């Protein structure tokens, strides 16, 4: 008897270094139960050297280091109908050709959002209690008197720039605490914000009132450099700016100038315009700017959550069910 529903043919193409984290053995086994997984997995460079690698591929599984899905690739993948991307954003791999071929695109951004929200909420609580300022004072005076720079979190105001997937998760983690939550997001629903315990305010009010401001907006032409000198100068005494979103949201030249003149302010930057900043950048040397090397996303074993999301979506394709994490063309234009 001929099987009228042949098994889906899939292939993994991504960088080798993080492949084992994203697709550990248990995730690979779950994929194999659903579909025929081509061997070996490839990098984008290896795919480029093998014109026939995707000739029979129905679904492409990717991650960091994924190939660009352009006309050239699609011409070599006549059966391709879905791209399941086990990383944060599909912005740098999806092209107009993808939409023209009506390729289904899935992003594991939802799985990546949880570790970002986790580390951001932790930074917000520490900043609200004045820990970064007390750390600097302790290094300078080398006395327990530096504890005076710390404070209680009760009544401190936290401002969230954007209530997207990550902003909402941060608000959920902080809801019910002693912190007051504000947000600026022109697309947010007031009723939904209220359920999160968040007051929607203007961008200027956000910076006027927030003891800690955390950025969660996508990097788009309209948002590039939006955190400018005027907003930075509005920050209250002792306030902290946290960026775990995109470095380009901040006018870094203005940030350096404002924080150089106001030692009471703190900037905690997990992302910068250039990563890493140039060796002579003042971002490295200003004491009230702290840099971390883009660690707010999924790291190590946390990355397996993205592989599991992809495997779950692959099962939906195999069963003919709607995808839960499909990126529409309209939503793609708003992505970071």
């Amino acid at each position: 008897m001929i099987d009228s529903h042949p098994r889906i043919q899939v292939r993994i193409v991504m960088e080798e270094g993080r492949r084992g984290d994203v697709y550990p053995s248990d995730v690979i086994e779950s994929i194999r139960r659903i579909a025929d997984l081509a061997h070996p997995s490839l990098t984008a460079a290896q795919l480029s050297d093998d014109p026939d690698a995707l000739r029979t591929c129905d679904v492409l599984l990717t991650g960091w280091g994924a190939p660009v899905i352009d006309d050239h690739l699609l011409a070599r993948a006549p059966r391709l109908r879905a791209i399941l991307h086990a990383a944060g954003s599909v912005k740098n791999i999806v092209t107009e050709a993808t939409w023209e071929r009506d390729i289904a695109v899935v992003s594991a951004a939802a799985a990546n959002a949880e570790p970002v929200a986790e580390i951001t909420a932790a930074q917000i609580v520490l900043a609200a209690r004045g820990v970064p300022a007390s750390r600097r004072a302790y290094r300078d005076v080398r006395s327990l008197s530096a504890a005076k720079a710390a404070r209680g979190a009760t009544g401190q105001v936290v401002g969230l720039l954007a209530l997207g997937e990550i902003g909402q998760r941060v608000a959920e983690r902080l809801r019910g605490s002693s912190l007051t939550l504000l947000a600026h997001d022109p697309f947010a629903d007031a009723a939904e914000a209220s359920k999160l315990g968040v007051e929607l305010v203007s961008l200027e009010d956000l910076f006027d009132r927030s003891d800690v401001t955390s950025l969660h907006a996508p990097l788009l032409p309209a948002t590039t450099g939006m955190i400018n000198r005027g907003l930075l100068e509005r920050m209250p005494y002792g306030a902290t700016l946290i960026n775990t979103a995109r470095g380009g949201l901040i006018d870094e030249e203005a940030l350096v100038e404002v924080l150089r003149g106001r030692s009471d302010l703190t900037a905690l930057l997990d992302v910068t315009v250039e990563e890493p900043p140039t060796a002579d950048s003042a971002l490295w040397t200003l004491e009230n700017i702290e840099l971390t090397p883009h660690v707010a996303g999924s790291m190590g074993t946390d990355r397996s959550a993205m592989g599991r999301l992809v495997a779950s979506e692959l099962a939906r394709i195999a069963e003919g069910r709607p995808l839960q994490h499909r990126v529409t063309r309209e939503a793609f234009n708003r992505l970071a």
Side-chain angles (χ1 to χ4, degrees), residues 22 67 82 134 210 223 336:
V22 175
S134 65
S210 299
T223 62

Side-chain angles (χ1 to χ4, degrees), residues 132-156:
S134 65
R135 185 187 299 129
R136 293 197 299 275
Y138 201 23
R139 184 175 59 240
D140 291 340
V141 303
R142 304 193 180 189
S143 162
L144 293 180
S145 64
K148 295 177 182 177
R151 58 186 179 235
T154 301
Q156 294 291 299

Side-chain angles (χ1 to χ4, degrees), residues 34-308:
I34 301 164
D36 289 336
L37 177 62
H39 181 80
S41 297
L42 302 175
T43 64
Q46 290 167 334
L47 175 63
S48 181
D49 292 337
D50 185 352
D52 293 326
L54 299 182
R55 184 173 54 84
T56 62
C57 182
D58 300 306
V59 179
L60 181 62
L61 311 182
T62 61
W64 284 276
V68 176
I69 315 302
D70 56 13
D71 287 313
H72 179 67
L73 182 146
L74 291 174
R76 297 159 58 180
R79 287 173 40 176
L80 189 66
R81 54 192 171 106
I83 300 153
L84 311 185
H85 188 56
S89 175
V90 297
K91 197 73 174 181
N92 294 324
I93 67 169
V94 170
T95 68
E96 187 65 23
T98 314
W99 305 119
E100 289 177 357
R101 263 271 296 270
D102 197 26
I103 304 288
V105 177
V106 162
S107 168
N112 191 51
E114 188 59 23
V116 178
E118 182 178 57
I119 198 169
T120 303
Q123 284 190 312
I124 287 172
V125 172
L126 291 173
R129 297 193 62 179
V131 171
S134 65
R135 185 187 299 129
R136 293 197 299 275
Y138 201 23
R139 184 175 59 240
D140 291 340
V141 303
R142 304 193 180 189
S143 162
L144 293 180
S145 64
K148 295 177 182 177
R151 58 186 179 235
T154 301
Q156 294 291 299
V157 178
V158 174
L160 304 176
L161 178 59
L163 279 178
E165 182 114 40
I166 295 172
Q168 288 183 37
R169 290 180 186 233
V170 171
E172 287 168 355
R173 286 177 174 273
L174 300 177
R175 179 174 51 188
S177 70
S178 59
L179 299 167
T180 297
L181 302 182
L182 310 178
H184 172 73
D185 187 332
F187 303 103
D189 179 84
E192 292 300 317
S194 180
K195 290 179 183 178
L196 290 169
V198 174
E199 176 189 354
L200 293 177
V201 298
S202 70
L203 185 57
E204 291 73 20
D205 282 349
L206 192 81
F207 277 80
D208 281 342
R209 296 170 57 186
S210 299
D211 300 295
V212 182
T213 299
S214 185
L215 308 185
H216 302 287
L219 185 62
L220 304 169
T223 62
T224 299
M226 69 181 297
I227 311 305
N228 56 29
R229 179 190 300 275
L231 291 174
L232 294 166
E233 289 177 340
R234 300 177 85 114
M235 294 173 69
Y237 182 87
T240 299
L241 177 69
I242 297 173
N243 191 7
T244 55
R246 292 290 186 268
L249 295 172
I250 300 175
D251 179 341
E252 287 184 351
E253 183 177 346
L255 177 72
V256 167
E257 291 178 2
V258 171
L259 268 68
R260 182 177 280 140
R262 287 190 57 185
S263 60
D264 64 290
L265 298 180
T266 300
L268 306 179
L269 308 179
D270 189 55
V271 289
T272 50
V273 173
E274 290 188 63
E275 294 187 339
T278 58
D280 60 350
S281 172
L283 296 175
W284 293 112
T285 55
L286 278 179
E287 291 188 355
N288 52 345
I289 295 179
E290 297 184 18
L291 303 180
T292 47
H294 207 138
V295 297
S298 298
M299 304 296 292
T301 55
D302 287 342
R303 296 171 182 147
S304 65
M306 292 184 285
R308 290 187 175 87

